[in-house]
Amino acid sequence: MEAANYQTDEEQLIEGLKAANEADFQMAVRLYTPGMMAVARFYLDHGAAEDMVQDCWLAVVNAIHSFEGRSGLKTWLHRIVANRAKNYLRKHQREVSTDFSESLDPDLARRFAPNGRWATPPSLRSNESAEALMENGALSDCLDKHLSHLPEAQRSALMLYEAHQHKSDDVCNILDVSASNLRVLLHRARQKIFLMVETFQETGEC
Amino acid sequence: MLMCRDLARIASDYIDGELGPMDTVSVKLHLLMCGHCRTFIGSLRTSLELMRGHSSHQLDEDFARRIDEQISQALIARDDEQD
């Protein structure tokens, strides 16, 4: 979708939400809930995250009139979830703890010799396009499985940055992490996906 | 001198254009000489494109319907309050 079209579509959707059009709410739920869940899962377990996202949608019903469009609708919704999740953790005196100390995934780190060169070099066929790879349904299922097994912090960062195309600054605000820690989360998650695709291409197994 | 392991540590920063000019030059020089690292960077890029094309449609439809239902009730309650 072209950026201009997307903007027009979003403006129309916002008008529909402000006019309390149920069909527009249903469309917005399907467009934005995956990203809202990615934000919530950074802070909360799955059940609590679903409850939080449902509560946020109810809040949106009453708050959409105050949406002025200074940020995009997606960013506004993601910030609502993040703020509520942070308040929830504060009330329950809990913190998100994540290891940001090493940017290299242990499974990849093992593939280097002591001199820093590849001992087990990458074997992926990099000339195979992502589009061609996506046509393989088994690979798509495998990707689902591995995404669901990523540590929550890594998955949320990856989803917001790659799948929902947020800018780094936005992801840092929403997830309350520094720019350098976001880089670690993204890189760790990407290495996991790289390793998964490599194994799949080599063995045909997930 | 940049080794393959060092490059693997900063590969995402290179792909996203987040490295400083000196580090970017070091990576580019290394890539000129190292086929394995070129494969690694190329494959990492492909993995990212795969992610971008993949994950936007993951939503449990039952969960979406539960939200629809709650929104529907909230809209009715809001209308009642306004009347």
Side-chain angles (χ1 to χ4, degrees), chain A residues 37 41 44-51 155:
Chain A
M37 276 301 289
R41 288 292 276 127
L44 306 167
D45 65 39
H46 186 78
E50 282 200 345
D51 291 345
R155 188 173 62 216

Side-chain angles (χ1 to χ4, degrees), chain A residues 115-117, chain B residues 1-8 10 19 22-31 33-34 37:
Chain A
N115 66 5
R117 294 183 193 279
Chain B
M1 189 177 123
L2 194 75
M3 301 304 291
C4 303
R5 182 169 40 210
D6 305 325
L7 185 140
I10 57 174
L19 284 181
M22 293 297 285
D23 286 336
T24 304
V25 169
S26 297
V27 170
K28 285 188 172 178
L29 281 174
H30 182 98
L31 289 176
M33 298 180 292
C34 180
C37 283

Side-chain angles (χ1 to χ4, degrees), chain B residues 35-48:
Chain B
H36 292 326
C37 283
R38 283 200 298 277
T39 302
F40 177 65
I41 291 282
S43 303
L44 203 58
R45 278 191 213 273
T46 305
S47 302
L48 297 189

Side-chain angles (χ1 to χ4, degrees), chain A residues 17-18 20 22 25-26 29-30 33-34 37 50 53-54 57-58 61-62 64-65 102-104 108-109 112-118 121-126 128-130 133-134 139-140 143-144 147 158-159 161-163 165 168 183 186-187 190-191 193-194 197, chain B residues 1 3-18 30 34-61 63-68 70-76 78-79 81-82:
Chain A
L17 298 180
K18 288 187 174 178
E22 274 198 54
F25 268 103
Q26 287 172 7
V29 164
R30 278 147 191 83
T33 299
M37 276 301 289
E50 282 200 345
V53 168
Q54 284 196 54
W57 276 112
L58 294 183
V61 168
N62 293 312
I64 189 69
H65 285 292
E102 173 55 62
S103 66
L104 212 52
L108 194 64
F112 292 96
N115 66 5
R117 294 183 193 279
W118 288 99
S123 60
L124 268 183
R125 289 165 289 167
S126 60
E128 196 162 10
S129 72
L133 287 168
M134 276 309 283
L139 178 63
S140 183
L143 193 53
D144 273 339
L147 281 172
L158 194 67
M159 293 288 285
Y161 190 78
E162 306 292 358
Q165 305 274 296
S168 296
R183 302 301 317 161
L186 283 175
H187 192 43
R190 289 167 171 184
Q191 289 169 80
I193 302 302
F194 158 80
V197 177
Chain B
M1 189 177 123
M3 301 304 291
C4 303
R5 182 169 40 210
D6 305 325
L7 185 140
R9 278 204 178 95
I10 57 174
S12 280
D13 292 344
Y14 173 71
I15 287 172
D16 291 340
E18 297 276 344
H30 182 98
C34 180
H36 292 326
C37 283
R38 283 200 298 277
T39 302
F40 177 65
I41 291 282
S43 303
L44 203 58
R45 278 191 213 273
T46 305
S47 302
L48 297 189
E49 285 165 24
L50 209 54
M51 267 296 307
R52 286 175 191 152
H54 173 77
S55 44
S56 54
H57 45 76
Q58 295 177 328
L59 177 64
D60 176 357
E61 187 53 31
F63 178 46
R65 286 205 197 97
R66 287 205 303 277
I67 299 173
D68 292 341
Q70 288 205 329
I71 287 174
S72 180
Q73 288 172 8
L75 287 171
I76 292 167
R78 199 183 75 177
D79 286 347
E81 273 176 30
Q82 285 170 351

